[in-house]
């Protein structure tokens, strides 16, 4: 490493980059880890970037991956900057000690956004606070939506996940020059970033690249291939083209994004529907990631920190007034939730008994959250006791109705509660002491593998981050998780004797609820 009047310079395998000193931290933004994924590289696995001569300026965030904007209802709460340009496979590094020899722990951040939105340029994800506390922070851009997760007969699956693998390999080969230790890498992600983290954990190609991992609000999972194909086919139908990568590559990029947004309008993490996702491909993802991790033949020795928010579902239900609409729909909403979870009537009955004062929306939201998120993370912790740590973020937003919703915890994790983009979800007056506690737990985990509370065992310890100081509760979700261990799994709507809503009524409930959600997002 060298430095001049304008900032530190670090040599990477593809050329030198010059960063900036900000608040005593060396920051390098927009470093390409792969070539622009367009032209002949469209829908293909990432390729190394072209080497450059001289010193490349790394003072500003690089281009973001193509993505549609959030709807007006969600844009009130979530920020998603757009930076134009083709060179979107880039990453950022914050380090307190640029140059070889420091051997500091490394945290690699994969943003969320349903694999269709988000970027490393979101101000909430400022890695300066981790570097301030002795951890080199790397945040990554990767391909999104149909560009990154479309399933085509003439292109390899999962190019967006392959981008993330390329970034991990870049970190392993290069982070030592920035002061990081390539043998102490913690891979972290939230929502879609956590799903990606789980898939990469289970991938044989990442062995030796990951020492620890954090999964926040996302389980290891693979999407149904038919579900992803339906997204592609519906886009192709609207565009009047074949459902092939070659045909999609010839479509105007803005038109492709508009079509993707329209086709995905009725999809929801809670309500389901066609969506893009990581799929089993027989190569990078040879089998379902959760099953691979439960079997213990993947990510052996990797320590896990896993968490959720108390009211995940409220981010999808509150914008546009869907929360009240679900309460009014009553049985229709419950039927849709049972369809989403392939569950019989005994499940909502059990939730009603556990939460007699809850409204229909809360029953639906918690039921789906437990089925899709908390139960898989419980299973994973049960399979890896002693090296797994679980937590729940329970502090409620100061904004009406949001509660402790999905993504609210991120300003606390990054200790960036003061930035306006954090206040869009948290409101005014987020407690700094809670930021300190949450951020410190992640720093400790990335540094030592111990976030500061009891590892998972038969007593099921869960750290609660809410009003007041953090505390450990034992089995706070056990009663709800137990419902799923005894529930009947329904793969198709069955006879009236088993499922009272006939198949057509069941499917109609889901369609009506999704249409309501879509109408309120516009």
């Amino acid at each position: 490493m060298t430095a001049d009047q304008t900032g530190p310079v670090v040599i990477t395998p593809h050329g030198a980059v010059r960063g900036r000193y900000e608040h005593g931290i060396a920051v390098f933004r927009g470093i390409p880890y792969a070539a622009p994924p367009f032209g002949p590289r469209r829908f293909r696995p990432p390729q190394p970037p072209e080497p450059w001569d001289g010193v490349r300026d790394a003072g500003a965030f690089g281009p973001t991956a193509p993505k549609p904007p959030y709807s007006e209802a969600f844009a009130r709460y979530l920020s998603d900057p757009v930076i134009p340009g083709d060179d979107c496979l880039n990453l950022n590094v914050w380090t307190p000690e640029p140059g070889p020899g420091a051997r500091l722990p490394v945290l690699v951040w994969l943003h969320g956004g349903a694999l269709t939105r988000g970027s490393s340029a979101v101000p909430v994800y400022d890695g300066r606070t981790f570097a301030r506390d002795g951890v080199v922070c790397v945040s990554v851009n990767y391909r999104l939506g149909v560009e990154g997760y479309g399933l085509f007969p003439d292109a390899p699956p999962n190019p967006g996940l392959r981008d993330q693998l390329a970034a991990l390999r870049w970190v392993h080969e290069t982070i030592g020059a920035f002061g990081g230790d390539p043998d102490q890498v913690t891979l972290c992600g939230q929502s879609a970033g956590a799903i990606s983290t789980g898939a990469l954990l289970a991938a044989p190609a990442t062995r030796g690249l990951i020492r620890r991992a954090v999964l926040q609000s996302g389980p290891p999972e693979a999407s149904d291939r038919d579900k992803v194909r339906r997204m592609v086919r519906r886009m192709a139908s609207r565009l009047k083209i074949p459902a092939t990568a070659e045909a999609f590559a010839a479509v105007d990029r803005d038109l492709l994004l508009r079509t993707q947004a329209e086709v995905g309008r009725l999809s929801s993490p809670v309500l389901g529907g066609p969506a893009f996702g990581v799929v089993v491909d027989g190569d990078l993802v040879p089998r379902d990631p959760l099953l691979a991790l439960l079997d213990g033949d993947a990510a052996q020795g990797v320590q896990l920190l896993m968490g959720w928010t108390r009211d995940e579902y409220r981010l999808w239900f509150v914008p546009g007034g869907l929360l009240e609409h679900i309460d009014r729909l009553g049985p229709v909403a419950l039927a849709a939730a049972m369809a989403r979870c392939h569950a019989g009537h005994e499940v909502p009955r059990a939730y009603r008994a556990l939460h007699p004062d809850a409204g229909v929306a809360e029953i639906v939201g918690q039921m789906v959250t437990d089925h899709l998120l908390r139960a898989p993370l419980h299973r994973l912790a049960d399979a890896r006791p002693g090296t797994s740590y679980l937590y729940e973020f329970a502090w409620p937003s100061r904004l009406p109705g949001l509660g402790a919703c999905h993504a609210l915890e991120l300003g606390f994790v990054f200790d960036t509660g003061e930035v306006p983009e954090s206040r869009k979800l948290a409101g005014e007056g987020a407690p700094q002491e809670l930021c300190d506690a949450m951020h410190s737990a992640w720093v400790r985990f990335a540094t030592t593998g111990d976030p500061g509370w009891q590892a998972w065992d038969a007593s099921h310890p869960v750290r609660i981050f809410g009003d007041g100081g953090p505390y450990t509760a034992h089995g706070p979700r056990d009663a709800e998780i137990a419902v799923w261990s005894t529930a009947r799994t329904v793969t198709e709507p069955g006879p009236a004797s088993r499922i009272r809503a006939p198949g057509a009524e069941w499917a109609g409930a889901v369609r009506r609820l999704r249409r309501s959600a879509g109408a309120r997002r516009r």
Side-chain angles (χ1 to χ4, degrees):
M1 188 277 295
T2 62
D4 61 15
Q5 294 180 347
T6 60
V9 175
V10 170
I11 308 299
T12 80
H14 305 104
V17 291
R18 178 182 288 114
R20 302 288 188 274
Y21 281 112
E22 300 174 4
H23 307 285
I25 300 299
V27 187
F28 302 80
R29 297 183 176 93
I31 304 172
Y33 66 85
F38 300 104
R41 293 184 287 265
R42 193 96 174 265
F43 300 110
R44 301 292 162 182
Q47 299 299 313
E50 290 290 332
W52 57 87
D53 296 324
V55 180
R56 182 183 181 118
D57 185 71
F61 286 113
T64 53
K67 56 189 174 178
Y70 281 115
S71 68
E72 183 179 348
F74 282 94
R76 291 176 52 200
Y77 301 104
L78 301 173
S79 296
D80 197 10
V82 172
I83 302 172
D86 285 354
D87 207 356
C88 61
L89 300 186
N90 58 70
L91 51 76
N92 318 295
V93 181
W94 289 262
T95 176
E97 298 184 47
R103 306 287 292 185
L104 296 171
V106 180
L107 184 147
V108 177
W109 173 250
L110 302 178
H111 66 80
L115 297 178
T116 58
R117 295 175 175 87
S119 79
S120 65
V122 175
V124 178
Y125 309 151
D126 191 337
R128 173 178 58 86
T129 55
F130 281 102
R132 175 198 69 194
D133 295 328
V135 176
V136 176
C137 183
V138 180
S139 60
V140 179
N141 281 341
Y142 54 93
R143 278 174 282 182
L144 302 169
V146 72
E147 301 276 358
Y149 297 91
L151 195 55
F152 299 102
D154 55 338
N158 299 320
L161 192 70
R162 295 173 194 275
D163 295 343
Q164 297 166 4
L165 173 61
L168 265 179
R169 286 174 170 160
W170 184 97
V171 168
H172 186 75
E173 296 167 2
T174 311
I175 205 64
F178 291 84
D181 183 350
D183 296 323
Q184 294 292 325
V185 171
T186 300
L187 182 62
C188 307
Q190 182 265 348
S191 193
I195 292 171
S196 302
T197 296
L200 290 169
L201 270 178
T206 64
R207 286 179 183 162
L209 302 181
I210 305 168
R211 179 68 186 86
R212 304 178 183 99
V214 183
L215 282 73
Q216 166 63 39
S217 297
E221 67 176 15
S223 292
D224 180 75
R225 293 175 70 93
D226 286 338
K227 183 177 177 180
V228 178
R229 280 197 191 97
R230 284 201 300 275
M231 276 291 289
V232 173
R233 288 170 181 164
R234 290 181 183 183
M235 289 182 67
S237 177
R238 284 177 180 260
L239 293 166
K240 297 180 172 54
I241 61 173
T244 64
E246 180 181 15
F248 271 62
V251 176
D252 174 79
R253 201 181 300 176
D254 289 338
L255 175 59
L256 203 60
L257 290 176
R258 290 196 301 271
T259 305
Q260 175 183 300
E262 182 62 25
V263 168
R265 184 173 58 85
L266 300 185
S267 298
S268 162
V270 175
L271 304 178
F276 293 112
V278 174
V279 297
V280 173
D281 57 21
D283 174 22
L284 178 58
V285 187
R287 57 184 302 212
D288 181 86
L290 179 59
L291 295 180
L293 291 167
L294 289 175
D295 287 350
D297 61 350
Q300 292 184 5
V302 175
Q303 297 157 306
L304 299 178
L305 177 61
M306 300 179 284
W308 52 76
T309 70
R310 185 190 62 198
D311 308 309
E312 297 271 2
Y313 66 95
R314 285 181 173 264
L315 183 61
W316 294 283
F317 285 2
V318 169
L322 189 59
L323 190 78
E324 294 80 6
H325 187 65
I326 290 174
D327 278 333
R328 287 196 301 271
L329 283 173
V332 172
L334 287 173
M338 288 188 289
R340 178 73 167 116
C341 300
H342 306 291
H345 284 279
E346 74 275 8
V347 173
R349 289 195 194 107
Y351 273 75
R352 175 64 68 201
L354 289 169
H355 305 281
D357 297 326
V360 173
E362 183 175 353
I363 294 292
V364 167
Q366 296 292 7
M367 197 175 107
V368 176
T369 300
D370 287 341
H371 175 66
L372 298 178
L373 173 62
R374 295 187 184 115
L377 294 185
H378 267 244
R379 290 179 64 197
L380 187 51
D382 283 339
R384 293 170 179 252
T387 59
S388 300
Y389 299 85
L390 267 63
Y391 66 89
E392 175 172 297
F393 185 82
W395 182 82
S397 169
R398 301 304 190 216
L399 299 179
L402 287 179
C405 68
H406 190 75
L408 176 63
E409 81 292 345
L410 294 174
F412 295 82
V413 166
F414 280 86
D415 191 11
T416 52
E418 79 286 354
V419 304
E421 291 77 8
S422 288
R423 295 199 296 272
K424 286 177 73 171
L425 263 185
E428 300 293 336
Q432 182 59 45
E433 59 271 19
L434 185 58
C435 285
D436 294 341
M438 191 81 175
H439 176 71
S440 296
W442 281 49
V443 168
R444 284 190 55 165
F445 182 74
T447 304
T448 69
D450 180 354
W453 62 87
Q454 181 183 350
W456 190 258
D457 60 19
S459 69
H460 291 186
V462 177
R463 193 70 164 174
I464 308 296
F465 293 91
D467 282 319
Y471 65 95
T472 300
H474 292 272
R477 299 282 175 179
D478 282 6
E480 290 86 350
I481 302 303
V483 171
W484 296 102
S485 65
T486 58
R488 293 168 291 176
T489 299
V490 181
T491 56
E492 303 246 348
S497 60
R498 277 186 72 190
I499 306 296
R500 290 182 184 173
E505 182 181 342
W506 181 294
V510 179
R511 284 197 299 272
R512 275 181 280 168
L513 200 49
R514 286 184 191 144
R515 280 198 297 269
S516 299
R520 282 160 175 74
R521 286 181 196 153
R522 288 189 238 186

